[in-house]
């Protein structure tokens, strides 16, 4: 079958768009977070005090008694999940020295709002830290029509920063500069 | 010239109008009664506490999609029955997970239990408290079976290989040929065993407010319902118009 030039051009545009904003597998995310030297997973036991901080960020406790993460030195990687509008969004965050160094959407299940997968949105989280109120100290521009997905990503970013601080023994929201 | 008696319909148009006024009125009457009655109830929803009243009849829960779409599965555990219904996992009437694949089996050791699906695993304490949910990235591969070996270690089968773990963080190969008691899931569980989970799955049922609203809008009749209600509304408009026309014509006729 011979493709017409216009059809071929459209296919290339769609493919390029998909590649630019595509999801990443959890395995690939963790491997990339540590430059291929994937550490063994660790667990953070969710004490009542930690769950209290979690509730301030999410409005609810994390399910379960422990949270898995990966850590090497001052860098940690977290795979978190949060409901956008109706379906959960799985995202990965890499945190180092109290700042986000990478934010990835690993699995997006909603039918709308998938623009959060694109780098021009995700890159806003790079360098973000926690303020004393456990909010982000960086403004994140929203996306029209994807408010709930954007909010979910923001909450997960805050959660990753908080859990990182707890895991490495820092005071959450402390100025890292 | 023949003159008709006063009050009778003199021309074909008037007769046709009366005839169709009666027909449309008769057909629309049932829907109009339904809309009027449900509308009255909804106007006083708060006073009647329609949100608090619920119905959980089997036919109604089926109609509203509150009945299970696929056959429930169950397992017996140290913490009691574990039941899977359409992605939900229950211990008695407590929800442990809402997006779990069909359960395949349960592994138990002295400290914990592991409930396995094809690409996820729930790690539980012996009393059924959720410790952690493990997704595909934290598993050695797709799970086809789970069980316990002679040493009391939980074993997974994945892609014709067997894996075991001490902490569910790192997996190692299970000794080849070592006997494993593989768990079997009950695909036809006893209804009495399912009852608490089914109650939790269905929730309190359909509220009276929801039911009456769906009757009022016609959604209760499925996709065609709203169209029928629209047709009834148009019929009412036509009735009002034709009725007014007939009244105005009769009034004019009496003056002459």
């Amino acid at each position: 079958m011979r493709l017409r030039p216009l059809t071929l051009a459209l296919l290339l545009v769609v493919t390029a768009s998909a590649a630019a904003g595509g999801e990443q597998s959890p395995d690939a995310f963790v491997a990339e977070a540590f430059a291929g030297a994937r550490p063994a997973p660790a667990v953070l036991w969710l004490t009542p005090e930690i769950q209290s901080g979690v509730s301030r960020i999410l409005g609810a406790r994390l399910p379960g008694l422990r949270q898995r993460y990966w850590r090497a030195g001052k860098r940690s990687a977290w795979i978190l999940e949060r409901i956008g509008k109706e379906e959960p969004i799985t995202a990965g965050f890499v945190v180092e020295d109290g700042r986000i160094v990478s934010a990835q959407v690993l699995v997006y299940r909603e039918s709308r709002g998938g623009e959060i997968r694109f780098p021009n949105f995700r890159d806003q989280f790079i360098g973000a830290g926690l303020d004393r109120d456990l909010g982000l100290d960086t403004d994140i521009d929203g996306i029209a029509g994807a408010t709930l997905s954007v909010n979910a990503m923001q909450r997960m970013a805050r959660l990753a920063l908080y859990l990182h601080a707890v895991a490495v023994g820092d005071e959450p929201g402390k100025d890292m500069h | 010239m023949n003159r008709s008696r006063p009050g009778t319909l003199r021309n074909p148009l008037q007769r046709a109008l009366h005839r169709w006024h009666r027909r449309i009125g008769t057909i629309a009457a049932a829907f109009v009664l339904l809309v009027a009655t449900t509308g009255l109830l909804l106007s006083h929803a708060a006073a009647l506490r329609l949100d608090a009243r619920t119905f959980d009849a089997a036919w109604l829960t089926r109609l509203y999609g509150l009945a299970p779409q696929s056959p429930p599965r169950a397992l017996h555990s140290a913490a009691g029955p574990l039941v899977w219904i359409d992605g939900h996992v229950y211990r008695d009437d407590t929800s442990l997970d809402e997006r779990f694949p069909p359960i395949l089996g349960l592994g138990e050791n002295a400290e914990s239990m592991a409930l396995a699906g094809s690409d996820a695993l729930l790690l539980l304490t012996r009393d059924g408290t959720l410790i952690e949910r493990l997704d595909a990235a934290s598993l050695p591969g797709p799970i086809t079976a789970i069980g316990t070996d002679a040493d009391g270690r939980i074993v997974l089968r994945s892609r014709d290989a067997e894996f075991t773990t001490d902490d569910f963080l790192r997996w190692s190969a299970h000794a080849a040929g070592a006997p494993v008691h593989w768990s079997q899931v009950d695909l036809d569980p006893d209804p009495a065993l399912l009852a608490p989970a089914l109650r939790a799955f269905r929730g309190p049922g359909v509220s009276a407010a929801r039911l009456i609203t769906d009757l009022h809008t016609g959604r209760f009749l499925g996709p065609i319902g709203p169209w029928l209600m629209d047709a009834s509304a148009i019929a009412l408009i036509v009735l009002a118009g034709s009725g007014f026309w007939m009244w105005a014509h009769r009034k004019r006729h009496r003056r002459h």
Side-chain angles (χ1 to χ4, degrees), chain B residues 28-43 212 215-218 228-230 232-233 236:
Chain B
F31 292 101
V32 170
L33 274 172
L34 179 66
V35 169
T37 308
T38 52
L40 266 175
L41 290 171
L42 289 173
S43 293
I212 294 171
L215 284 168
H216 186 74
T217 58
L228 287 174
M229 289 307 182
D230 286 349
S232 305
L236 268 180

Side-chain angles (χ1 to χ4, degrees), chain A residues 26-27 38 40-41 43 45 63-66 68 81 88 109, chain B residues 99 123 125 129-132 134-135 137-138 167-170:
Chain A
D27 270 342
R38 178 184 171 138
V43 290
W45 290 95
L65 300 180
R66 72 186 198 184
R68 180 175 302 239
E81 210 163 78
R109 302 174 181 87
Chain B
R99 286 187 304 109
L123 182 60
T125 62
T129 302
L130 178 67
I131 299 173
E132 184 185 1
L134 280 69
D135 286 315
S138 300
D167 55 9
F168 293 89
L169 296 177
R170 284 159 283 263

Side-chain angles (χ1 to χ4, degrees), chain B residues 11-27:
Chain B
N11 65 53
L13 174 62
Q14 293 167 9
R15 284 197 296 275
L17 198 58
H18 269 83
R19 195 162 50 241
W20 279 103
H21 186 90
R22 274 198 309 271
R23 285 174 182 170
I24 294 171
T26 304
I27 293 169

